Amino acid sequence: MSEEELYKLIGGCIKQDRKCQKMLYKAFYGFSMGICLRYAGNRDEAAEVMNQGFFKVFTHIESYDVSRPFKAWLGKIMRNVSIDFYRANLKMAYTEDLDMAEHVTDGELVDRNLHYNDLLAMVQRLPQAYRTVFNLFAIDGYSHEEIGEMLNINAGTSKSNLHKARHKLKQMILEADISAQNAKYNNGVDYNTTYVAINAVNMNGVFINKGIRE
């Protein structure tokens, strides 16, 4: 979609033109769903959050600054709605600060070959508190201080939840690796054709390549 076409759709949405709203929704459905899926526990929840996000888009689109990338503005709304949705449901446990927890170094989270959808499923399997902090820090690049303000927790709790999220992901990745090796051995099938290298510590590259974040 060209910038001219996008601005025409935005102008139509400002006028509450239903056809333009539908076209904008379809054009950015995949991008928006990708963001919401990372924060949701399943696809149904992601769809619910995404629709709330588009409602905010259409009711506040007149505030969009056309001098800035539309995807950045849209992505921020989808992330904020995702955070609001889970902040209403999160029951943050009192956790000790990271420096009092067993430390797992980044070096221990070695590269593994995984399908992208398998990786996304692992992130979705994390407890809500861990999943939210992991996405905000490792994928969206927020600091622990910023995350603390967003989720009404202290920076130490954010660090601890990130640490535990990484630890759980490490366990799931190792289990998946063992399972894939056993399946390959038992079935004689080469599973390497469509695999992509994933680093469990910094998953930015994976999500960028798959178009989930701008």
Side-chain angles (χ1 to χ4, degrees), residues 31-39 75 78-79 82 212 214:
F31 172 78
S32 302
M33 177 61 84
I35 293 174
C36 296
L37 276 171
R38 290 194 281 108
Y39 286 92
M78 292 299 165
R79 280 191 293 273
S82 296
I212 286 192
E214 65 278 6

Side-chain angles (χ1 to χ4, degrees), residues 107-116 119 122 169-181 192 195-201 206:
E108 292 181 62
L109 295 173
V110 294
D111 287 344
R112 287 292 183 267
N113 287 329
L114 296 168
H115 280 106
Y116 165 74
L119 175 64
M122 290 178 186
L169 281 173
K170 175 192 173 184
Q171 290 178 322
M172 286 188 275
I173 289 171
L174 292 176
E175 289 171 1
D177 195 32
I178 293 172
S179 178
Q181 289 179 8
N192 293 321
Y195 277 34
V196 292
I198 306 287
N199 186 288
V201 178
V206 178

Side-chain angles (χ1 to χ4, degrees), residues 22-171:
K22 184 176 182 180
M23 291 176 67
L24 191 75
Y25 180 92
K26 285 185 175 181
F28 292 95
Y29 174 91
F31 172 78
S32 302
M33 177 61 84
I35 293 174
C36 296
L37 276 171
R38 290 194 281 108
Y39 286 92
N42 54 61
R43 195 171 189 85
D44 289 340
E45 289 182 359
E48 180 181 350
V49 173
M50 183 191 67
N51 287 332
Q52 290 181 16
F54 271 109
F55 177 78
K56 281 200 169 185
V57 167
F58 295 139
T59 55
H60 295 88
I61 197 163
E62 70 281 354
S63 67
Y64 165 62
D65 182 355
V66 295
S67 67
R68 305 184 66 181
F70 180 74
K71 270 192 172 182
W73 183 76
L74 175 64
K76 183 176 181 180
I77 289 178
M78 292 299 165
R79 280 191 293 273
N80 288 342
V81 171
S82 296
I83 293 168
D84 289 343
F85 183 86
Y86 287 101
R87 186 162 47 192
N89 295 286
L90 283 174
K91 294 182 178 179
M92 292 287 190
Y94 290 100
T95 55
E96 54 191 3
D97 285 350
L98 180 62
D99 58 359
M100 297 184 65
E102 180 183 1
H103 184 58
V104 177
T105 64
D106 288 353
E108 292 181 62
L109 295 173
V110 294
D111 287 344
R112 287 292 183 267
N113 287 329
L114 296 168
H115 280 106
Y116 165 74
N117 287 337
D118 292 337
L119 175 64
L120 180 60
M122 290 178 186
V123 174
Q124 290 178 329
R125 284 165 54 193
L126 292 171
Q128 289 184 353
Y130 301 170
R131 181 173 67 240
T132 303
V133 170
F134 179 84
N135 274 296
L136 288 171
F137 183 89
I139 309 304
D140 293 323
Y142 289 99
S143 69
H144 288 296
E145 289 72 21
E146 292 171 324
I147 294 171
E149 291 181 4
M150 292 177 186
L151 303 181
N152 296 323
I153 59 176
N154 59 51
T157 299
S158 177
K159 292 177 182 179
S160 181
N161 285 343
L162 174 65
H163 159 76
K164 292 177 180 179
R166 284 174 168 171
H167 183 70
K168 285 184 176 292
L169 281 173
K170 175 192 173 184
Q171 290 178 322

